[in-house]
Amino acid sequence: LMSVLLFSVLTFTACSSDDDDDNGDGNFKINSESYTVDNAQCQEAGYMAFNSQFWQGQDSYEFSFRIYDFETFKAGDDLTEDVIISSFRGTNDFNAGDYDDENLTGKLVVKSVSNSAIVLEFVNFGFKKILGDSSTKRYVMNGTISFTRI
């Protein structure tokens, strides 16, 4: 009886859908620092709008970008040249800034597309944020995010 009970508990635990979400594991990197991804969503609005938050303790970033040519997304597509960055702001970052969309580096690759989510892989995906004093700060991202369609 105990072995049947133990087997049942292990089976339900192993099949839990909580294990299927890559976003909460802290393996997403921004400038080589590990972050946990939260609230990753995408929505069609004449373009595909992607939004997510990154957490490391009390520090966080909010990241938003758009892609206009989204109707034909398929696994393996490199979207790097189609990205328009809307916002990337940290906890203590009160400067909205502008972004250098013309000189993106690395890759942003579609891993999968479904009716419920779009999974993107950031491979040394880099951009510059232009700060208020005309200086720049470079950000490089590595990891995979599953964006829930809303």
Side-chain angles (χ1 to χ4, degrees):
L1 181 62
M2 288 300 279
S3 62
V4 171
L5 182 59
L6 180 59
F7 178 77
S8 297
V9 169
L10 290 175
T11 301
F12 287 121
T13 303
C15 295
S16 169
S17 64
D18 295 349
D19 297 334
D20 297 336
D21 186 2
D22 294 340
N23 293 343
D25 61 9
N27 285 331
F28 196 87
K29 306 250 190 246
I30 302 172
N31 293 349
S32 300
E33 296 282 328
S34 294
Y35 286 82
T36 299
V37 179
D38 193 23
N39 295 324
Q41 300 176 333
C42 60
Q43 181 175 18
E44 290 183 38
Y47 51 86
M48 188 63 77
F50 293 87
N51 302 292
S52 61
Q53 293 178 318
F54 305 104
W55 290 92
Q56 182 188 63
Q58 296 297 316
D59 294 328
S60 69
Y61 287 105
E62 291 184 14
F63 181 45
S64 300
F65 62 95
R66 303 184 300 266
I67 296 179
Y68 283 91
D69 185 20
F70 65 89
E71 289 87 3
T72 59
F73 278 1
K74 63 184 180 305
D77 285 352
D78 184 350
L79 305 176
T80 308
E81 292 188 17
D82 299 322
V83 172
I84 298 172
I85 298 171
S86 304
S87 177
F88 186 80
R89 295 181 71 165
T91 307
N92 298 315
D93 186 1
F94 301 108
N95 177 359
D98 288 318
Y99 305 91
D100 184 357
D101 295 321
E102 302 294 319
N103 296 299
L104 300 175
T105 59
K107 290 185 176 188
L108 179 59
V109 178
V110 177
K111 295 296 281 183
S112 67
V113 178
S114 71
N115 290 333
S116 60
I118 298 175
V119 180
L120 301 178
E121 181 179 19
F122 296 75
V123 181
N124 291 321
F125 179 79
F127 62 93
K128 289 181 185 174
K129 181 173 182 178
I130 303 166
L131 305 174
D133 61 359
S134 297
S135 65
T136 62
K137 178 158 183 172
R138 181 155 187 71
Y139 295 95
V140 177
M141 300 178 168
N142 284 285
T144 301
I145 301 176
S146 178
F147 292 90
T148 302
R149 289 182 182 243
I150 56 171

